[in-house]
Amino acid sequence: NMDIDWTCLDEHLTADAVADLCEHGYIVIDDFWPSGLAQAYRNDICQLYESDLMQPNKVQFETSQGPIQLTKPGIYEADLHSSTIAAATPLFATVLKECDQLQQTLNRHLQPTQQVEPAGNSTRTVKLQYNSGGGAFPWHYDNPTRPNKRQITLLTYLNPDWCAGDGGELVLLPFLGQPCTIEPRMNRTVLFLADQVLHKVKVAHRPRVCFTVWIDGVNTNTDEAMFLKANQLTVDSLPLLKASPLQRTLSRAVYAERYVESLQDCFGAETRACKLAVAMHHAHIKQLLSNSKVAQFVDTLRAMRAW
């Protein structure tokens, strides 16, 4: 059993790095963890997968006929809030238990209005992932709406032999901007704002290993972050939309066909699961665009997309 060396936090999560995270929405830090620890992380996740302790990733949609659960092919996960998983990987159980250090390091550099919860196992989630090949994630926000409280996502990739063509890249999409593609290389850590960075994962052609820490914020999903006002449906609101969770209300409509492509990549274009997911996507957009002022504003934004 290894101790976690948290000194890497002070080395990498400097005031400048956290300011970059808040300004651009994301930062990428290579060699984030001590290399022996990164290797131990990888070994534990592979061991859990080989021991059949990881569960297929499922996503639930609420519909008028009741909830529908769809399984994302090729993606297996384990949550450290599970006592079975915690017992099977004391290393990651320690990560969950000692995460106060990560949260307090971030808070030293975050503005008063942007503070994350300072302590406690219930204020964070640690999820391990093994992608057996063929899996993908469609466009989404890690914090889509209430009651979710996630503010910061910290994602570490653990793929020592990754090379171009293997797939499984993370793609971040700043609102109306150009997508940024990040290769899932060994001990590469990405931090991004969970409630305002739209992202997807490309189809992985080889197994891919990573883990995610989600940290809850003190002030996530306020009314201001959730509800677009009539007087904000103007191009004067672009700076606000680009730098706030409000963009989530319009994102599906602004990127309608991009969402569909990513759902096809995730579920397989001809599958029942894909057809259901796409139908729910279109139903969501139809409801949103039933307001003519919103529909007009969405048309304006679609014309302004860089991609």
Side-chain angles (χ1 to χ4, degrees), residues 246-260:
L246 271 175
Q247 59 175 266
R248 295 175 302 184
T249 54
L250 300 172
S251 158
R252 276 184 179 272
V254 171
Y255 290 103
E257 80 289 357
R258 300 287 188 191
Y259 271 78
V260 171

Side-chain angles (χ1 to χ4, degrees), residues 198-210:
L198 183 64
H199 60 285
K200 71 167 188 173
V201 178
K202 291 186 175 185
V203 178
H205 305 296
R206 282 185 57 198
R208 166 182 167 277
V209 177
C210 63

Side-chain angles (χ1 to χ4, degrees), residues 18 22 57 72 97 155 167 188 213 223 247 252 267 274:
V18 175
C22 295
N57 174 295
K72 294 192 187 118
K97 194 173 82 208
L155 172 61
R188 168 171 284 175
V213 181
D223 283 357
Q247 59 175 266
R252 276 184 179 272
F267 294 110
C274 183

